[in-house]
Amino acid sequence: MASSSKDSAPTVENSDEDVISMVDVLNEEEQLEEYAAAVLGGSDEKNCTYPMGYVRRQALYACKTCCTSEKDPAGVCLACSLECHEGHELYELFTKRNFRCDCGNSKFPRVTCKLEPVKDDLNSENHYNQNFLGLYCTCIRPYPDPENEVEDEMIQCVICEDWYHGRHLETSVPDDFFEMICTGCMQKHEFLWAYSVHYEDKIQIEHGQEKDDVDVGSTEKRGCCDGISSEDKTSVILKATSQDTKKVTKKQHQKQKEKRLNGKTKSEACSFQSPDCLLKQLQAREVIPKKCAAFWNEGWREKLCTCASCTKMYEERGISYLIDRSDTVLAYEEKGKLTQSPNRSHQDRETSALQGMNRIQQIEIVQGYMDMKSQLSEYLKKFAENGKVVREEDIREFFSQMQARKRQKTGGTPQYFCH
């Protein structure tokens, strides 16, 4: 038995396992609850979300059992994954934006939704990617990948919402970032590089680093990677040279401006017409995009220009959600935590109850928890192996079995302990 001071938490020592305290137990429980809240975001497990239309963001699943065609992917809400697709092989998609539940429509010829039987044949505004087929990243592999033993984090792009291995983003992953836009989406929406440059310049100034003046009218064309290692930077930084201080005539400047507009979309050109357009000011610096993903800190969306021209451009490109604060996964997670908040005080009650027990009772509680955790892990392993969704009734059955075993163990002569 491990020794402890009067004020320390009770611990159990095992020669084969690490020492665990009740504080560790409660902290682990809290982390699991926060993860569940983040994934589900207050999703309704009893009612299909179809009547709500295209939900701004929700937890989604793809059923491999029902949808076998790669040409016709589909997604179902949390409630339908539990009620209509119990025992099926499901892909957990985490969250997707602006999606309407497909369960029971024409994509499911052999399934009728038990919660909302009457539905349109198709949800024309839904967007599908390879995740609905259980594939991810540019490597087009499943996750977890049974053929790949390399440990690597998966990061979701905020535009295409696909998931990517950190090693496949064409650049190093910073230690601290809020959101990521993949290489393909940055190439598709190159105007975002102008904001990346603006962000990096601001970081340099905040850290007191010297920065050369950048002359809008310089005849030198500046690359985003000049003098900078791609391993050290994840976004574009302009590198001014000593020749950038040269001035050019108004006519030369106008020619360069027309050259920059050449080849751009009509929407991007329109953004230059607004005198208050931030994008216009940033693009005047003639940014050369980099072929890699871009990482962004919290608050970057709020700095996107919202003038009439830019707002129209977002709409035409189908990315208006970038200027919607509630679109972020963080906002979705906070929504889930708020729905759980009334029940969050139970940890305080548990801690208070432990303080009222003697040392032997506290140790028995910890040992009982570890026993339950081991048995629950084995019980849930069967569901994972068979690709089944765990329902509330399954958990109730598990604890009923635990209670029955407890009664069997305590049916004989009661044990006594020396204090």
Side-chain angles (χ1 to χ4, degrees), residues 376-395:
L376 180 60
S377 178
E378 288 297 319
Y379 181 74
L380 296 177
K381 185 178 180 181
K382 300 176 183 178
F383 288 86
E385 292 174 347
N386 297 323
K388 295 183 62 177
V389 176
V390 182
R391 304 184 62 182
E392 180 180 349
E393 291 79 0
D394 299 320
I395 299 300

Side-chain angles (χ1 to χ4, degrees), residues 232-254:
D232 299 330
K233 293 294 181 180
T234 58
S235 299
V236 184
I237 302 178
L238 288 177
K239 181 70 176 180
T241 65
S242 59
Q243 297 179 351
D244 289 335
T245 57
K246 296 180 180 180
K247 303 296 181 179
V248 295
T249 64
K250 183 176 181 181
K251 184 177 181 181
Q252 288 175 315
H253 174 66
Q254 183 63 29

Side-chain angles (χ1 to χ4, degrees), residues 341-390:
S341 58
N343 300 322
R344 299 297 289 177
S345 61
H346 75 281
Q347 180 175 335
D348 296 333
R349 295 196 296 269
E350 291 170 350
T351 303
S352 177
L354 283 172
Q355 292 175 349
M357 299 179 183
N358 61 44
R359 178 177 175 76
I360 300 299
Q361 291 172 325
Q362 290 175 338
I363 293 175
E364 288 178 343
I365 288 292
V366 176
Q367 290 175 327
Y369 173 82
M370 296 303 296
D371 181 51
M372 180 202 71
K373 181 180 179 181
S374 176
Q375 294 184 44
L376 180 60
S377 178
E378 288 297 319
Y379 181 74
L380 296 177
K381 185 178 180 181
K382 300 176 183 178
F383 288 86
E385 292 174 347
N386 297 323
K388 295 183 62 177
V389 176
V390 182

Side-chain angles (χ1 to χ4, degrees), residues 97 156-161 179-181 300-301 321-322:
R97 67 168 63 87
Q156 188 179 33
C157 172
V158 299
I159 293 184
C160 67
E161 296 192 299
E179 290 181 314
M180 181 275 292
I181 299 179
W300 75 274
R301 295 193 187 204
Y321 50 78
L322 287 181

Side-chain angles (χ1 to χ4, degrees), residues 69-88:
S69 174
E70 296 183 358
K71 297 180 179 180
D72 203 17
V76 301
C77 66
L78 172 63
C80 287
S81 73
L82 300 173
E83 185 66 28
C84 308
H85 301 270
E86 179 186 7
H88 294 187

Side-chain angles (χ1 to χ4, degrees), residues 2 18 44 106 123 141 156 174 184 194 224 270 290:
D18 294 333
D44 190 342
S106 61
N123 296 314
R141 296 294 301 169
Q156 188 179 33
C224 62
C270 288
K290 185 178 179 182

Side-chain angles (χ1 to χ4, degrees), residues 132-356:
F132 290 81
L133 303 176
L135 302 174
Y136 306 87
C137 191
T138 54
C139 60
I140 316 178
R141 296 294 301 169
Y143 182 83
D145 189 346
E147 300 179 6
N148 187 2
E149 298 181 356
V150 178
E151 293 186 5
D152 195 0
E153 62 180 329
M154 299 291 287
I155 308 173
Q156 188 179 33
C157 172
V158 299
I159 293 184
C160 67
E161 296 192 299
D162 198 352
W163 291 81
Y164 296 85
H165 295 100
R167 64 183 183 275
H168 292 158
L169 292 174
E170 311 294 339
T171 187
S172 58
V173 178
D175 294 331
D176 184 25
F177 66 94
F178 182 66
E179 290 181 314
M180 181 275 292
I181 299 179
C182 70
T183 306
C185 288
M186 286 301 295
Q187 290 178 322
K188 185 177 181 180
H189 306 289
E190 288 188 347
F191 74 92
L192 289 171
W193 284 115
Y195 292 99
S196 180
V197 172
H198 175 65
Y199 167 74
E200 291 291 350
D201 288 348
K202 183 178 179 181
I203 292 297
Q204 287 187 349
I205 294 173
E206 289 177 349
H207 286 75
Q209 299 177 12
E210 293 185 1
K211 185 175 179 299
D212 296 332
D213 293 332
V214 180
D215 184 9
V216 174
S218 172
T219 57
E220 283 287 326
K221 198 169 185 178
R222 283 154 295 205
C224 62
C225 307
D226 293 345
I228 299 176
S229 171
S230 60
E231 296 298 322
D232 299 330
K233 293 294 181 180
T234 58
S235 299
V236 184
I237 302 178
L238 288 177
K239 181 70 176 180
T241 65
S242 59
Q243 297 179 351
D244 289 335
T245 57
K246 296 180 180 180
K247 303 296 181 179
V248 295
T249 64
K250 183 176 181 181
K251 184 177 181 181
Q252 288 175 315
H253 174 66
Q254 183 63 29
K255 287 183 178 180
Q256 288 193 1
K257 183 176 180 180
E258 292 174 356
K259 182 179 179 181
R260 288 194 298 270
L261 289 175
N262 186 31
K264 296 184 179 294
T265 64
K266 182 177 179 182
S267 296
E268 288 181 291
C270 288
S271 67
F272 282 82
Q273 297 176 3
S274 174
D276 300 322
C277 179
L278 173 61
L279 180 59
K280 171 186 175 180
Q281 301 172 32
L282 298 177
Q283 286 179 323
R285 305 175 69 174
E286 200 168 1
V287 180
I288 300 178
K290 185 178 179 182
K291 188 178 180 181
C292 67
F295 294 87
W296 310 83
N297 277 11
E298 186 172 358
W300 75 274
R301 295 193 187 204
E302 298 174 12
K303 301 195 172 45
L304 295 177
C305 182
T306 55
C307 72
S309 297
C310 285
T311 300
K312 182 179 179 182
M313 178 185 67
Y314 302 145
E315 293 175 354
E316 292 176 349
R317 289 172 174 263
I319 56 174
S320 295
Y321 50 78
L322 287 181
I323 55 176
D324 181 0
R325 295 183 181 181
S326 64
D327 174 74
T328 65
V329 174
L330 177 62
Y332 173 83
E333 292 177 351
E334 291 299 325
K335 173 185 175 183
K337 292 177 182 178
L338 286 175
T339 61
Q340 300 292 324
S341 58
N343 300 322
R344 299 297 289 177
S345 61
H346 75 281
Q347 180 175 335
D348 296 333
R349 295 196 296 269
E350 291 170 350
T351 303
S352 177
L354 283 172
Q355 292 175 349

